[in-house]
């Protein structure tokens, strides 16, 4: 017996009239991508969860590709909640993003909530051509109100022009390596997030490393990119910090 396996696929391309077309927009099982009203020249897609999960043993994947000259904004209709299931296996959620030269992707889903008893491993891989643009936000909330978190592992990988400029991993919750909740990592906070910004102009004007507020840091990467890492007591304050950091980088 195995869990649910589901994949959503999105492909965006320039429509030749200054806009963005979506020749591929499909999903199965619990993953339902839907096109919504976007800004001028930009296609906007919302991922709608058609069922609860991911549960133990589930394997979800989302693949998004942005071709040259296209602009794509992807969000989600609600938070993703990792829940325990009848199966004791770990659940997996894979996000694979590709952006061509001259393409732009804004990947801004709602938070991932790790509920007590769940076990989930999330992998996000972004592969960009030189000259591509990306804004990627990840938010993880450890436990619902008043509960302990589940086991949550996450890996974030960024490649630009075939070169790896970021590969980081974090494990939290029961069974994670000791110290994950200590002063060197989360320091007792229940929400953690990353904001990844890739812009060609950062090559000439690199972002300066600095603290951003009391619980966030801005770090330049070895390429036209910057990473903001933040912790917060809850998801609301985490979102506010990451939004302010993005506005500061604009």
């Amino acid at each position: 017996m195995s869990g649910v396996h589901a994949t959503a696929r999105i492909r965006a391309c320039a429509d030749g009239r200054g806009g963005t077309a979506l020749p591929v927009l499909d999903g199965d099982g619990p993953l339902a991508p839907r096109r919504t009203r976007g800004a001028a020249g930009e296609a906007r897609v919302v991922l709608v969860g058609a069922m609860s999960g991911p549960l133990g043993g589930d394997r979800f994947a989302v693949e998004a590709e942005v071709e040259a000259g296209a602009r794509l904004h992807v969000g989600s209709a609600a938070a993703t909640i990792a829940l325990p299931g009848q199966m004791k296996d770990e659940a997996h959620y894979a996000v694979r993003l590709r952006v061509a030269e001259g393409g732009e992707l804004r990947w801004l889903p709602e938070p991932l909530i790790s509920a007590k008893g769940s076990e989930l491993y999330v992998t996000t891989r972004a592969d960009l051509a030189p000259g591509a643009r990306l804004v990627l936000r990840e938010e993880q909330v450890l436990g619902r109100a008043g509960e302990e978190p589940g086991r949550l592992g996450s890996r974030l990988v960024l490649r630009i022009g075939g070169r790896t400029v970021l590969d980081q991993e974090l494990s939290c919750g029961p069974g994670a390596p000791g110290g994950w909740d200590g002063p060197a990592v989360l320091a007792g906070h229940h929400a953690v997030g990353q904001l990844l910004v890739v812009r060609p102009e950062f090559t000439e004007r690199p972002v300066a490393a600095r603290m951003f507020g009391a619980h966030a840091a801005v770090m330049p990467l070895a390429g036209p990119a910057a990473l903001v890492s933040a912790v917060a007591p809850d998801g609301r304050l985490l979102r506010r910090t990451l939004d302010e950091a993005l506005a500061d980088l604009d």
Side-chain angles (χ1 to χ4, degrees):
M1 182 177 180
S2 62
V4 175
H5 290 209
T7 302
R9 296 178 178 86
I10 306 165
R11 182 161 64 89
C13 64
D15 64 5
R17 303 186 301 274
T20 298
L22 296 173
V24 177
L25 185 65
D26 60 41
D28 49 34
L31 299 175
R34 298 287 184 262
R35 183 165 190 168
T36 62
R37 186 184 299 274
E42 177 188 77
R44 186 172 294 235
V45 173
V46 173
L47 289 170
V48 178
M51 58 185 288
S52 62
L55 309 177
D58 290 352
R59 290 183 175 268
F60 294 174
V62 180
E63 300 172 358
E65 181 177 1
V66 181
E67 298 183 1
R71 296 172 56 208
L72 176 64
H73 182 294
V74 179
S76 57
T80 297
I81 304 179
L83 297 166
Q86 292 183 341
M87 299 187 63
K88 300 302 182 183
D89 294 345
E90 182 180 66
H92 289 260
Y93 201 129
V95 176
R96 296 183 283 269
L97 311 174
R98 298 180 64 87
V99 187
E101 182 176 0
E104 180 176 348
L105 173 61
R106 297 178 69 86
W107 186 265
L108 301 170
E110 294 303 305
L112 168 65
I113 301 173
S114 175
K116 183 178 181 179
S118 65
E119 189 170 358
L120 175 65
Y121 190 79
V122 182
T123 304
T124 301
R125 298 178 182 272
D127 198 335
L128 275 60
R133 294 174 175 271
L134 173 70
V135 174
L136 181 153
R137 182 184 68 216
E138 285 191 341
E139 298 168 310
Q140 294 151 1
V141 179
L142 305 181
R144 293 170 292 192
E147 76 171 6
E148 296 295 318
R151 172 73 182 271
L152 176 63
S154 63
R155 185 180 180 189
L156 176 60
V157 180
L158 170 66
R159 290 168 54 86
I160 301 177
R163 179 187 178 192
T164 300
V165 299
L166 176 69
D167 189 342
Q168 71 173 23
E169 191 164 359
L170 177 66
S171 185
C172 305
W180 67 270
D181 202 25
V185 189
L186 298 188
H189 293 87
H190 295 283
V192 59
Q194 292 77 232
L195 178 70
L196 192 56
V197 181
V198 181
R199 291 179 178 153
E201 54 265 33
F202 287 169
T203 301
E204 300 297 327
R205 300 188 301 277
V207 172
R210 63 190 187 275
M211 291 298 296
F212 188 85
H215 302 295
V218 181
M219 291 294 296
L221 300 178
L227 174 69
V228 180
S229 299
V231 295
D234 56 45
R236 179 183 61 86
L237 292 174
L238 177 67
R239 172 67 59 85
R240 186 171 72 185
T241 298
L242 294 179
D243 284 349
E244 290 174 353
L246 179 57
D248 185 70
L249 290 171
D250 279 341

